[in-house]
Amino acid sequence: MRKINEECGVFGVYREEEAPLLTYFGLHALQHRGQEGAGIACADGRDITCRKGCGLLTEVFRHETLEELKGHSCIGHVRYATAGGNELENVQPLAARSYLGCVAVVHNGQIVNAAPLRRELEEKGSIFRGTSDSEIILHLIQGGTGSLLEKIEAACRRLEGAFSFLILTEKNLYAIRDKNGIRPLSIGRTAGGSWCVSSETCAFGVINARFVRDVAPGEIVKFSASGAESFFYTKECTHRLCAMEYIYFSRPDSMLEGRSVHAVRKETGRRLAWLEENGTFADIVVGVPDSSLSAAMGYSEELGLPYEMGLIKNKYTGRTFIQPTQKLRDTGVRMKLSANQPVVEGKRVVLIDDSLVRGTTSRRIVQLLREAGAAEVHLRIASPEMKFPCFYGVDTSTRAELASANHTPQELCRLLAADSLRFLPDSELCGACGGDSLCRACFTGSYVTPLFGCGESAGLAISAGNAL
Ligand code: SF4
């Protein structure tokens, strides 16, 4: 069940001409959330057609493949999974057909009680096609009683963990967010008045839609011919949006729970700068493209140090953090970034990175800057030390992988060959995000839900070896 770790994006459109094309564009804006698989399911009022495959959205959907999708309502998915979990049967949407009709589902997040639920369902006769935890919701719905809405509500009450689901039937679309709101999900409206739903608001602009509101924790929004209706499957709801959505995952032009991702990142940079005595120890500020640029701007503005383009990103490679194996991640860093020698040569550089996960990327970037002639490299991380694995849909699955779980900042500074190293304290992260209503379990070890045994298998009680 370890292969269920993923960080994905979902997008849906309800009753709109060109729904498959709009879903394609929406997913394209979410491609940064997963590059190992993509798919779209399309409903025409009588049936659901599904097309999906492994790889980037543009690889899966050529013009003729998109043409095969006929209908007015769609849900789509871009997928990331750990090694071994990216088989075609796990690529979403997952669709099921029964005497009750067709249902397709897409999911962003991770169900932490997937193993016991799966065992229970298999004992009752359910047969699973893949290893994805997302399939569990289909089986729970199928085994339920009452209306489809009642079945979905009952299924959600059985699930623990992080889930933003879209469910498509022949006629309706449902948008669902877990009771802690760990993964984002927002509602928009197209220029033609149709509803759309997305993991991130950045996808609305691409299809000329406007943001309406977020799906609330514990909420089920049903889109039907009668309009949009809101239901809650539980009253025990909290706001615990994943802090890493602000720090790394989401695009800077997205809004999360009313806050601009760019503005929050800039504020983390400002707060990092408050920790310095003054700005005389460095000549320039350089951010690691792309997710650290906002924080680097805030840091540079606050200290009055010039913000410089000291690193150049090759835009045609994937994100290293979400490559599935260590070997691919190592290669990814070398392919992805170059130091801008005329800018950094002879300079004392403050290097701003959004987070320090495995350390591989940071170590290589410090090395790149030194090879380009930087006189000093002072590394500043715009988030706290990441010491604990995530069980809510992010690929940091064991403590052994996490550099900060195994080394003090002083040790890390030496291992990364930096001249100094500083992290943003947890209190300052909360300040930048407007409060502590966030999941910050990977920094604090305080998990939002019970873990149903995931912690032991991830080495939470084990002190592991060198992560670098
Ligand atoms: S543990 Fe960390 S990465 Fe996982 S949901 Fe919580 S804040 Fe996000």
Side-chain angles (χ1 to χ4, degrees):
M1 296 305 292
R2 300 308 321 286
K3 57 191 66 157
I4 56 184
N5 296 334
E6 56 187 284
E7 196 262 314
C8 308
V10 300
F11 190 87
V13 180
Y14 183 72
R15 282 192 177 263
E16 173 74 44
E17 260 183 60
E18 308 273 15
L21 195 58
L22 294 188
T23 306
Y24 176 87
F25 289 142
L27 289 177
H28 198 267
L30 301 178
Q31 186 77 84
H32 59 285
R33 297 182 73 87
Q35 294 120 38
E36 292 177 10
I40 297 175
C42 186
D44 63 3
R46 286 166 286 121
D47 202 359
I48 292 178
T49 319
C50 187
R51 294 288 178 272
K52 59 185 182 178
C54 296
L56 293 169
L57 183 76
T58 46
E59 293 163 350
V60 175
F61 287 96
R62 298 171 311 283
H63 179 67
E64 60 273 22
T65 320
L66 211 53
E67 285 278 295
E68 290 164 18
L69 293 168
K70 306 274 184 226
H72 49 64
S73 301
C74 289
I75 58 171
H77 192 258
V78 285
R79 174 177 174 79
Y80 167 70
T82 53
N86 53 358
E87 304 89 353
L88 185 60
E89 63 263 33
N90 288 332
V91 176
Q92 300 182 27
L94 301 174
R97 197 181 292 272
S98 74
Y99 69 96
L100 296 168
C102 299
V103 179
V105 63
V106 288
H107 169 214
N108 174 208
Q110 185 177 329
I111 310 297
V112 289
N113 62 338
L117 279 177
R118 191 181 172 107
R119 199 162 47 242
E120 176 192 316
L121 287 161
E122 283 178 342
E123 278 167 9
K124 287 181 182 164
S126 294
I127 295 170
F128 284 78
R129 272 199 264 177
T131 51
S132 158
D133 57 343
S134 312
E135 211 178 328
I136 289 168
I137 193 161
L138 278 177
H139 287 278
L140 285 174
I141 290 170
Q142 259 183 334
T145 54
S147 67
L148 181 61
L149 178 66
E150 287 166 335
K151 289 179 186 179
I152 293 172
E153 286 176 329
C156 290
R157 282 192 284 272
R158 300 288 323 274
L159 302 172
E160 286 285 357
F163 53 90
S164 285
F165 278 117
L166 298 182
I167 295 176
L168 183 70
T169 66
E170 295 97 330
K171 292 198 166 81
N172 302 326
L173 193 157
Y174 299 80
I176 302 147
R177 201 160 165 219
D178 73 74
K179 63 185 177 185
N180 299 302
I182 297 173
R183 294 279 147 239
L185 193 62
S186 302
I187 302 170
R189 210 140 195 202
T190 66
S194 303
W195 297 102
C196 49
V197 193
S198 176
S199 289
E200 283 185 47
T201 61
C202 66
F204 294 146
V206 177
I207 63 162
N208 197 23
R210 64 179 170 80
F211 167 73
V212 176
R213 72 169 174 89
D214 293 322
V215 177
E219 188 180 20
I220 300 172
V221 181
K222 177 183 177 185
F223 302 97
S224 69
S226 329
E229 296 168 273
S230 168
F231 306 88
F232 282 82
Y233 70 85
T234 176
K235 288 183 178 148
E236 294 163 11
C237 304
T238 62
H239 283 261
R240 290 287 180 270
L241 179 67
C242 166
M244 283 298 286
E245 292 283 352
Y246 283 117
I247 295 164
Y248 178 78
F249 295 127
S250 295
R251 259 178 41 172
D253 53 338
S254 284
M255 298 285 292
L256 294 171
E257 302 207 323
R259 282 186 194 82
S260 147
V261 172
H262 167 70
V264 167
R265 286 182 189 164
K266 211 168 166 191
E267 185 62 21
T268 59
R270 274 197 203 100
R271 286 166 184 262
L272 261 179
W274 295 351
L275 305 174
E276 314 290 2
E277 280 177 19
N278 54 57
T280 57
F281 71 102
D283 301 311
I284 58 171
V285 178
V286 171
V288 178
D290 291 316
S291 45
S292 310
L293 300 185
S294 307
M297 284 175 202
Y299 183 95
S300 122
E301 278 179 20
E302 194 66 22
L303 278 187
L305 281 172
Y307 168 77
E308 279 290 2
M309 197 182 285
L311 291 166
I312 309 296
K313 184 179 175 185
N314 178 352
K315 291 192 167 52
Y316 303 100
T317 58
R319 305 174 96 192
T320 54
F321 177 59
I322 55 174
Q323 297 288 353
T325 66
Q326 188 63 43
K327 195 175 169 198
L328 277 177
R329 277 190 287 270
D330 289 342
T331 311
V333 177
R334 282 191 289 277
M335 287 172 63
K336 179 171 120 170
L337 283 175
S338 308
N340 193 352
Q341 186 166 357
V343 168
V344 303
E345 191 163 23
K347 299 286 192 331
R348 297 170 302 163
V349 176
V350 182
L351 176 65
I352 309 288
D353 207 347
D354 50 78
S355 52
L356 189 81
V357 183
R358 299 170 182 91
T360 319
T361 309
S362 302
R363 187 175 56 166
R364 176 63 186 152
I365 295 170
V366 171
Q367 195 184 336
L368 278 177
L369 291 171
R370 289 204 188 281
E371 286 166 4
E376 295 173 16
V377 182
H378 300 273
L379 182 58
R380 298 292 180 266
I381 307 295
S383 59
E385 292 165 74
M386 188 180 280
K387 294 182 172 181
F388 301 92
C390 175
F391 304 104
Y392 303 130
V394 173
D395 182 21
T396 54
S397 44
T398 66
R399 290 201 84 190
E401 290 179 274
L402 301 173
S404 290
N406 300 288
H407 300 285
T408 64
Q410 293 73 21
E411 288 169 344
L412 280 173
C413 184
R414 190 169 41 79
L415 288 164
L416 300 170
D419 289 285
S420 68
L421 169 66
R422 185 167 278 163
F423 290 87
L424 187 73
D426 181 57
S427 57
E428 297 296 347
L429 172 65
C430 294
C433 296
D436 61 1
S437 295
L438 294 166
C439 175
R440 302 177 335 273
C442 48
F443 308 122
T444 64
S446 177
Y447 290 91
V448 175
T449 67
L451 294 180
F452 296 88
C454 298
E456 291 78 31
S457 59
L460 264 187
I462 301 164
S463 103
N466 190 329
L468 292 179

